[in-house]
Amino acid sequence: MPRLIYAALLGLSLIWGGSFYFIKILLHDFGPWSIAFLRSGFGLLVVVVIMTVFKKPFGFRTIPWLAMFIMALINTAVPWTLIGFSEQRLTSSLASILNATTPVWTIVVGIAFFGNKSSRMQWIGLATATIGVIILLGIRPGTLLSFDGIGLIGMLCATLAYAIGSHLSKRLSLRGLTMYQITYGTLLSSTAVSGIFAFSTESITWAHLTSADNVPMFLSLGMLGSGFAYILFYYMVEKGSAEFASMVTYLVPCTALIWGSTLLGESIKWNMLVGLVIILGGVFIASRKPRTGDVIKSREARSS
């Protein structure tokens, strides 16, 4: 894989690390569907501007809109709404922790429904990164029993939707669509779906939209967390794999801690740094492809 893909992984984790905080703040004035609508809409605006400036073809008539609509529903509108719903019951930190289950779901879904084969290195890397998350956040036996069960289930459903959606997006890229066209189609479809539910089930007031406290939040969440972020995400899916792109969720708790330290003055403890190093090592291990010689040796061992 190209080295630039690792820079995209780090950049995306920095952007998405702050998203859970933005969602938590916006929940004071907006419902989950409304936040998903605003996030999708402002993200779509950024993508349209970028594609126009760099003269990227939109390919509106060539996009398979039914497949795009289904993928956007599963990979964007539903999980974003579920995250907002879960953060009504959970802290943003815990939500970011549970979000790190996405890579495991992605591998399981790939094996179960998309005919993928997992490697030993992938599982070693995932196990290593999981240990890193546990060390970083100081999770102890019995800790999860004190949290809201509905919120936990909501986050796990969101990560499962992400896993399915990432595989569907890979199929769309194989149809000849560029990462810009997939991002554009995804956010356009998500804006339409979440907008219908937002305006029919929730209240969006002009006072809340123009609030000095809310404007920076949904602009950052939409323009950075959706527009620029999804271009980076689909770049990683296109140049790497759905499994590699989903590894960003392991770095999100790390970057969330960094944002908390720089913006809120929260302290960084030794276990956070140790966990960060272990997580990065797990991401590297899981993203490595077996060498040809190792594959040959493995086949010879099985045949002997």
Side-chain angles (χ1 to χ4, degrees):
M1 289 185 288
R3 293 181 180 179
L4 187 60
I5 200 172
Y6 292 97
L9 179 68
L10 180 59
L12 183 56
S13 68
L14 287 170
I15 294 173
W16 278 349
S19 297
F20 291 91
Y21 168 75
F22 299 144
I23 293 172
K24 192 71 173 180
I25 298 300
L26 288 173
L27 281 170
H28 294 298
D29 294 326
F30 300 95
W33 280 113
S34 299
I35 293 175
F37 167 68
L38 292 170
R39 183 176 183 177
S40 301
F42 281 98
L44 175 63
L45 177 62
V46 169
V47 172
V48 169
V49 171
I50 291 176
M51 293 181 71
T52 302
V53 171
F54 291 98
K55 298 180 179 180
K56 300 293 183 179
F58 287 88
F60 189 88
R61 295 183 178 180
T62 60
I63 293 176
W65 283 106
L66 179 58
M68 181 67 72
F69 179 86
I70 295 173
M71 189 274 291
L73 182 67
I74 297 174
N75 197 41
T76 307
V78 168
W80 283 358
T81 303
L82 284 173
I83 290 174
F85 168 79
S86 298
E87 286 201 52
Q88 290 177 327
R89 299 170 174 268
L90 305 174
T91 64
S92 59
S93 297
L94 180 58
S96 69
I97 299 169
L98 294 172
N99 195 55
T101 61
T102 301
V104 177
W105 282 120
T106 304
I107 291 178
V108 172
V109 168
I111 295 172
F113 300 105
F114 292 91
N116 291 359
K117 295 182 179 180
S118 62
S119 66
R120 182 170 59 181
M121 296 300 291
Q122 275 184 321
W123 288 109
I124 292 175
L126 288 172
T128 302
T130 300
I131 293 172
V133 171
I134 293 173
I135 293 175
L136 184 150
L137 296 158
I139 298 176
R140 299 181 300 277
T143 302
L144 293 178
L145 296 178
S146 62
F147 298 118
D148 185 275
I150 297 178
L152 291 173
I153 293 173
M155 274 304 305
L156 291 176
C157 288
T159 56
L160 175 59
Y162 275 144
I164 298 172
S166 62
H167 283 288
L168 294 177
S169 65
K170 184 67 174 181
R171 295 296 178 91
L172 286 176
S173 66
L174 293 176
R175 294 191 180 187
L177 299 179
T178 67
M179 60 183 180
Y180 294 100
Q181 291 171 332
I182 295 176
T183 306
Y184 163 71
T186 299
L187 292 176
L188 179 60
S189 301
S190 179
T191 300
V193 174
S194 57
I196 292 173
F197 283 99
F199 286 104
S200 60
T201 63
E202 299 172 354
S203 175
I204 301 178
T205 66
W206 182 252
H208 289 157
L209 281 174
T210 57
S211 170
D213 293 329
N214 290 333
V215 170
M217 296 298 169
F218 61 68
L219 287 181
S220 298
L221 185 63
M223 293 185 175
L224 289 177
S226 302
F228 289 109
Y230 259 51
I231 290 177
L232 291 176
F233 178 80
Y234 288 125
Y235 168 78
M236 290 190 294
V237 172
E238 179 182 329
K239 300 299 182 180
S241 66
E243 289 80 6
F244 178 84
S246 69
M247 292 298 292
V248 70
T249 56
Y250 271 121
L251 296 179
V252 167
C254 306
T255 56
L257 291 172
I258 294 174
W259 286 122
S261 175
T262 55
L263 297 179
L264 303 176
E266 298 174 349
S267 60
I268 298 180
K269 301 179 181 179
W270 69 268
N271 62 300
M272 299 177 181
L273 298 177
V274 173
L276 175 60
V277 172
I278 295 175
I279 289 170
L280 290 174
V283 171
F284 176 74
I285 292 172
S287 64
R288 291 186 63 188
K289 292 184 178 180
R291 293 174 298 181
T292 304
D294 294 337
V295 174
I296 294 175
K297 290 179 181 179
S298 177
R299 290 176 179 173
E300 291 176 348
R302 288 196 297 268
S303 61
S304 60

